[in-house]
Amino acid sequence: MKVTVVGAGAVGATCADNIARKELAQELVLLDIKEGLAEGKAQDMMQTAALLGFDTRITGSTNDYSKTAGSDVVVITSGLPRKPGMTREELIGTNAGIVKGVCENILKYSPDAIIIVISNPMDTMTYLALQSTGLPKNRIIGMGGTLDSSRFKYQLSQHLGCSPADLNALVVGGHGDTTMIPLIRFATWNSIPVTDYLTEEQQKQIVADTMVGGATLTKLIGTSAWYAPGAAGAALVESIVRDEKKLFTCCVSLEGEYGQSDICLGVPVVIGKNGWEKIVDFKLNDEEKELFNKSADAVRSMNDVLKTL
Ligand code: LMR
């Protein structure tokens, strides 16, 4: 198994580190446009192999895509991160060109790769990757909902005083501060509805804190987060390379599911060796449906911006 992570910034390096530690690939390539960055980080990670006991071979490359040839999975993290006060959507002008170029280069050498998109604005970058490559839709996966669902579990765990690993909870819709939809009605603590233990006020707070999870961290750190985004990317790689068929919320192409078409948006999907293999189209109530449609409208108008670039 060969995996490439494009972008050796904090998110890409964290994702690569998780992939190596879990030995999800025999070969792992880290690629970046900045001279020496990927080589340096790859070497640094390889120097943990003896300590951590992994056998994944990590190599770095400064923009030489031939080194990525034959990758089974490619994770795209390239592009600018947001600064405090910015929305993810403001990155579109710079990141669209970068993501399009990365997709072109990747496919020259790895025509069969499954592509995971992390770059922001993630829903629109996933749509762009799908449109510009023309790949079968199941091979393009946007990571956002996987991250947001993990943040949702964190927020729930803080209020419930429980382990995040004991929680089942999902966030659907867009990966934006106002477009994501944490579905608290369906969240359970080892099968027990969390709403049995949380006041209306607590539930509202948890949903609100989840939605601005990325913005809160950007304000605290001064740039956007990387541990959870990197781990979320690696979790998807794991489900693909081990054909786990785990259920994650991912941004995928909708063709009528959830009443939407010609858009990539976060919904529950089964992730396995073929990429996303199945959309789980479950019943939202009227209020949730309305939120989902509003989220789709916002993402669609961001997708329209692509035509003007
Ligand atoms: C995140 O949610 O951490 C990423 O999308 C980065 C960001 O801008 O918040």
Side-chain angles (χ1 to χ4, degrees):
M1 202 54 79
K2 179 168 177 176
V3 176
T4 288
V5 177
V6 186
V11 174
T14 305
C15 184
D17 190 37
N18 278 283
I19 291 168
R21 284 173 190 240
K22 289 185 163 186
E23 296 186 314
L24 300 181
Q26 283 78 45
E27 255 190 281
L28 174 59
V29 179
L30 189 59
L31 181 142
D32 201 282
I33 196 161
K34 189 166 175 215
E35 186 72 43
L37 182 71
E39 288 86 338
K41 290 203 180 179
Q43 263 188 48
D44 192 10
M45 276 179 234
M46 278 308 290
Q47 288 167 17
T48 69
L51 300 164
L52 300 172
F54 65 76
D55 277 322
T56 293
R57 288 183 310 280
I58 317 166
T59 52
S61 160
T62 302
N63 225 23
D64 178 359
Y65 281 81
S66 68
K67 299 273 168 45
T68 70
S71 293
D72 300 284
V73 185
V74 175
V75 184
I76 302 180
T77 72
S78 326
L80 293 181
R82 62 173 159 164
K83 296 257 178 295
M86 284 173 80
T87 65
R88 296 179 180 89
E89 287 74 13
E90 287 172 68
L91 302 170
I92 190 169
T94 312
N95 289 359
I98 294 173
V99 169
K100 191 160 180 257
V102 169
C103 286
E104 270 165 31
N105 284 319
I106 281 298
L107 287 184
K108 270 185 218 157
Y109 296 97
S110 304
D112 299 323
I114 293 170
I115 295 180
I116 297 172
V117 179
I118 296 187
S119 312
N120 274 316
M122 193 274 319
D123 305 287
T124 299
M125 293 304 103
T126 306
Y127 182 76
L128 171 67
L130 183 71
Q131 298 291 316
S132 68
T133 60
L135 284 182
K137 60 183 179 175
N138 65 298
R139 283 170 50 198
I140 305 278
I141 304 168
M143 172 283 292
T146 304
L147 165 62
D148 300 331
S149 300
S150 186
R151 285 189 175 142
F152 188 23
K153 290 177 196 173
Y154 163 75
Q155 295 295 347
L156 285 163
S157 74
Q158 296 299 294
H159 285 261
L160 292 165
C162 72
S163 162
D166 269 351
L167 292 164
N168 263 301
L170 79 169
V171 177
V172 296
H175 178 57
D177 298 342
T178 57
T179 60
M180 69 181 76
I181 309 159
L183 292 173
I184 200 152
R185 186 166 72 94
F186 294 100
T188 67
W189 178 10
N190 266 350
S191 304
I192 305 161
V194 297
T195 47
D196 287 2
Y197 296 96
L198 299 166
T199 62
E200 285 282 326
E201 196 141 315
Q202 282 177 311
Q203 293 179 37
K204 277 193 187 133
Q205 192 62 52
I206 289 166
V207 167
D209 289 346
T210 301
M211 291 175 75
V212 294
T216 304
L217 294 177
T218 304
K219 196 167 162 205
L220 286 170
I221 305 172
T223 184
S224 57
W226 56 88
Y227 291 111
L236 295 177
V237 172
E238 184 169 17
S239 200
I240 295 168
V241 302
R242 298 202 165 135
D243 194 22
E244 290 177 327
K245 314 238 184 267
K246 281 195 175 162
L247 187 71
F248 290 98
T249 309
C250 291
C251 176
V252 300
S253 170
L254 300 183
E255 290 176 358
E257 298 89 350
Y258 293 88
Q260 295 292 335
S261 297
D262 189 29
I263 192 163
C264 293
L265 210 54
V267 294
V269 287
V270 174
I271 302 285
K273 65 178 185 326
N274 301 309
W276 68 264
E277 299 186 346
K278 179 177 157 181
I279 293 178
V280 179
D281 193 352
F282 73 105
K283 286 250 167 306
L284 300 177
N285 65 23
D286 288 347
E287 189 189 339
E288 291 155 354
K289 251 186 239 162
E290 197 184 323
L291 288 171
F292 194 83
N293 290 340
K294 272 194 188 147
S295 178
D297 289 346
V299 169
R300 201 168 271 116
S301 42
M302 197 41 52
N303 293 351
D304 286 344
V305 175
L306 291 174
K307 296 177 198 144
T308 67
L309 298 174

